[in-house]
Structures are given as C-alpha cells and as structure tokens.
Amino acid sequence: MTVLDTLGRPVRDLRISVTDRCNFRCVYCMPKEVFGNDYQFLERRALLTFEEITRLARVFQRLGIEKVRLTGGEPLVRRNLEQLIGMLSALPGLDLTLTTNGSILARKAASLRQAGLGRVTVSLDAIDDAIFRRMNDADFPVADVLAGIDAAERAGLGPLKVNMVVKRGTNEQEIVPMARHFRGRDVALRFIEYMDVGATNGWRMDEVLPSDEVIARIREAFALERMPVSTVGETAERWRWAEPGVAGEIGTISSVTKAFCHDCNRARLSTEGKLFLCLFASRGHDLRALLRGGASDAEIAAAIGGVWQGRSDRYSELRGRAEAQPGSGERRVEMHYIGG
Ligand code: SAM
C-alpha cells in the first residue's frame, strides 16, 4: 500500500533515533553550553524498546517504507544495538543503514555487519586533527574515526558514505583536504549545508557555505564530472572524478540553498516514539501511546497513514517566510532527539 501526503509524496525512508545521547558535543548540533553535565536526557523507560521499534518498522513497511536508517544521538552508544539490527534485518526487503560519528566503529563494525547491517554513513567534519577535535568538542582524535571507516570497509559495510557538514569560518578549509583524502577510495563523500535545525546552535545564514561554492573549490584542485540523478527523492547532487578509473564520488546536499522538500519521502521516529514529518517540525505524533495502549497493527497503520495523508510540511522551501515559522511559543525539535 502506498500512502501519499497532501503534496503527493509517498513515505519511503524512515529515520529512527535510537538514543538522544551522544559522546560528541559538536558545536553546531549539541553545544556544550546547552548539553552539559546537568542536561536531562530521556529516561530509559521513555525509550522505545527494540520490540516496539521493530513492530513499528514492520507497520511502516506496510505503508511504503523501503529503507530504515538508525540514527540519534549516537546510535552506537545504545546498548546491545546489534540485537535491534538483528531484529530489523529479519524484515524482508528492508534496506537497513546507520549513521554514526564513527567514534566506536572500529570496535563495532564486524559485529554490526554480522548482525545484518547493510551499510553505514560516517559523519566526519575535518581531516585535520585539531580542527576535528574543535568541532566535536569532546577532544576526540580524527585517527580513531578514520580507523572506524577502514574497519567498516573491511567488514563489508560499504559502499560507505562520509558526510561533512560545512560551516563557513569553522571548517571550510577542510573541503579540499577531505576530497584529496577520499579520492580514489570507494566512498561517497558528501558535503552538507549547515542547517537551522533545533533552537540551540545559534544558526546564521552567513555561516552557510552554498554547495555550489564547495564544488567550485574542489574543482580548483580536481576535475569533476556531473552524474545523472539515479533515484527519485535523492537528496544529493553527485559528481565523479573526471580521471578514468579513479574510485569514489562527491555529493552535495543543499538543504538550505536548493531545498528538496518537493520530493521528500522521509519520516522520522524520535527516541521516545514520536512521529515527525519534517526535520524542522516542532511537534510529533505519539506512537508510543498507541503501542503501549494496546492498539493493533492495523490501528497503528491507520493512525500513521492518516497523519501522513495530512502532511504538508515543506519548511526548507519556505525558510525565512512567516508561514515557515512554528506557532507562537513552539520550539523546533533538536537534531539529536529527532535523529539526523
Ligand atoms: N551521531 C550520529 C552522527 O554523528 O552521524 C548520528 C546523528 S547526527 C545528529 C546526524 C548528522 O546530522 C551528522 O552528520 C551531523 O553532522 C548532522 N547535523 C547535525 N546538526 C546539523 C546541522 N545543524 N546542519 C547540518 N547537519 C547537521
């Protein structure tokens, strides 16, 4: 069954946040001043259990979901995550992926693969150790993340995606070194525009480096060839290295300068089981109450289908206009909670 929202968009891709906790304090995502030692993360009993997550994934599949991406927070800090991966990978026909900061990937890659994980995306905002440590604000060395990337490749979790959020004035000098580092490897290196998610990162438009500028800078160092669009709903514009036989590709995700809401087919499930229809939403729909209130799969499917059919969100296309702003007093949810 395919359900369509008010703009004719199906639901295909489900992002599931498995924890709101993270061992990094990236300056643009979970700034230390806000997410300090006394920050109240969700209590354990508030979190969806693995059984609840798997049940919802199965219900979502009936509505059209083809892909599940586990995220967070840092998904690898959720205890026994391999068990959840085992349960989800048993759902027939589901493409199962995970986004991680890579900090404990070297240790976990083999067990994740063994549990049934298909691929991973690793976030990496700099290749220079000092800049990387400044960005993650947890003094975490880049070498450990690079070891995680190597381990993931060895474990068969490829082709890997490596995502770099570019913040003007902070890590823009890392664009070309990152391209140079991954050129020739079977890795899709993607540059992501810094977004105004949540309400704690003090986002400013002048800190966004437009993707066109990112590509122009790489082109000063290397020749690139534009690749055709391969799937509907693909968020990245893609380039390959022009020199024949050089492995890897470059992608840009221009969520700010070239919004792609018109074919957004993503739903997001927060750590405590709220369904969000947009990364920039301020309110979610409580599915945990249905799960714990004894609703049947058919009732849950009907509830989700009804919510999706009413969806009209297109925040990024409306950004800056009054109609894009949430109602008075409402705060947009934070990325670590809703899942990136
Ligand atoms: N901890 C995991 C990780 O680091 O990939 C998963 C969660 S993290 C919230 C997912 C992605 O969101 C990361 O690549 C992160 O860089 C990105 N992100 C967080 N805040 C962002 C923002 N304001 N603009 C663009 N990307 C952002």
Side-chain angles (χ1 to χ4, degrees):
M1 181 170 68
T2 296
V3 286
L4 300 178
D5 71 7
T6 62
L7 302 174
R9 301 169 294 188
V11 59
R12 294 277 181 252
D13 184 343
L14 179 64
R15 312 259 159 132
I16 303 177
S17 172
V18 294
T19 175
D20 59 338
R21 292 166 197 261
C22 187
N23 54 345
F24 281 12
R25 284 293 175 273
C26 297
V27 288
Y28 56 83
C29 186
M30 292 180 77
K32 243 183 200 160
E33 312 82 71
V34 180
F35 299 94
N37 287 341
D38 52 355
Y39 185 83
Q40 284 292 310
F41 288 98
L42 292 171
E43 285 179 38
R44 200 174 166 73
R45 66 190 147 88
L47 272 52
L48 291 189
T49 64
F50 292 165
E51 288 72 22
E52 288 170 332
I53 292 174
T54 308
R55 183 170 171 214
L56 282 180
R58 198 179 323 111
V59 171
F60 268 103
Q61 260 193 311
R62 282 170 38 178
L63 298 167
I65 286 291
E66 296 165 349
K67 177 171 156 189
V68 162
R69 176 176 296 281
L70 300 179
T71 175
E74 171 48 43
L76 299 188
V77 304
R78 174 102 186 229
R79 202 172 303 157
N80 301 327
L81 189 77
E82 290 85 349
Q83 200 185 326
L84 174 65
I85 287 172
M87 291 159 75
L88 291 173
S89 67
L91 298 179
L94 190 69
D95 181 15
L96 185 60
T97 68
L98 174 143
T99 301
T100 174
N101 62 24
S103 56
I104 41 180
L105 190 55
R107 242 182 19 232
K108 290 229 161 204
S111 62
L112 292 169
R113 180 72 187 136
Q114 218 167 17
L117 186 64
R119 284 169 291 117
V120 289
T121 296
V122 180
S123 304
L124 179 64
D125 293 334
I127 200 82
D128 175 85
D129 191 54
I131 299 175
F132 183 68
R133 284 177 197 253
R134 261 205 308 280
M135 297 241 9
N136 66 55
D137 211 12
D139 204 27
F140 199 86
V142 76
D144 291 16
V145 177
L146 296 176
I149 291 174
D150 294 346
E153 271 187 331
R154 276 197 308 275
L157 289 168
L160 253 68
K161 285 182 187 156
V162 173
N163 283 353
M164 169 176 172
V165 174
V166 183
K167 204 174 162 194
R168 198 196 285 274
T170 303
N171 65 339
E172 60 180 293
Q173 66 276 42
E174 288 295 282
I175 295 168
V176 173
M178 284 280 285
R180 187 173 294 119
H181 182 87
F182 288 104
R183 185 172 184 269
R185 282 177 74 165
D186 191 16
V187 164
L189 174 61
R190 304 194 306 181
F191 296 91
I192 301 179
E193 287 178 352
Y194 170 47
M195 293 182 285
D196 47 340
V197 242
T200 54
N201 64 5
W203 182 88
R204 293 202 328 252
M205 185 65 202
D206 61 5
E207 290 173 331
V208 178
L209 189 77
S211 295
D212 288 348
E213 225 178 288
V214 169
I215 290 299
R217 291 191 192 184
I218 298 174
R219 280 197 146 138
E220 282 173 17
F222 305 105
L224 297 176
E225 264 171 19
R226 186 71 189 260
M227 291 166 72
V229 174
S230 62
T231 53
V232 178
E234 183 170 87
T235 48
E237 293 179 80
R238 300 158 66 214
W239 285 260
R240 65 170 77 88
W241 306 105
E243 220 175 290
V246 177
E249 65 171 68
I250 296 284
T252 55
I253 304 198
S254 317
S255 14
V256 178
T257 61
K258 292 182 218 167
F260 36 79
C261 307
H262 51 277
D263 56 10
C264 174
N265 52 23
R266 277 176 291 286
R268 294 167 193 276
L269 185 62
S270 76
T271 315
E272 54 180 343
K274 286 194 180 147
L275 169 63
F276 285 88
L277 304 178
C278 177
L279 189 51
F280 300 93
S282 48
R283 260 191 260 177
H285 304 263
D286 189 1
L287 302 183
R288 191 186 62 189
L290 292 177
L291 287 167
R292 297 188 184 172
S296 67
D297 282 3
E299 284 164 343
I300 297 172
I304 297 171
V307 167
W308 188 264
Q309 280 166 338
R311 177 185 189 242
S312 60
D313 304 63
R314 52 189 193 103
Y315 172 84
S316 288
E317 286 178 354
L318 302 175
R319 178 178 280 110
R321 293 200 228 156
E323 54 192 308
Q325 303 311 319
S328 59
E330 289 190 3
R331 253 169 98 98
R332 286 203 295 265
V333 285
E334 297 297 330
M335 188 95 149
H336 73 283
Y337 162 76
I338 195 176

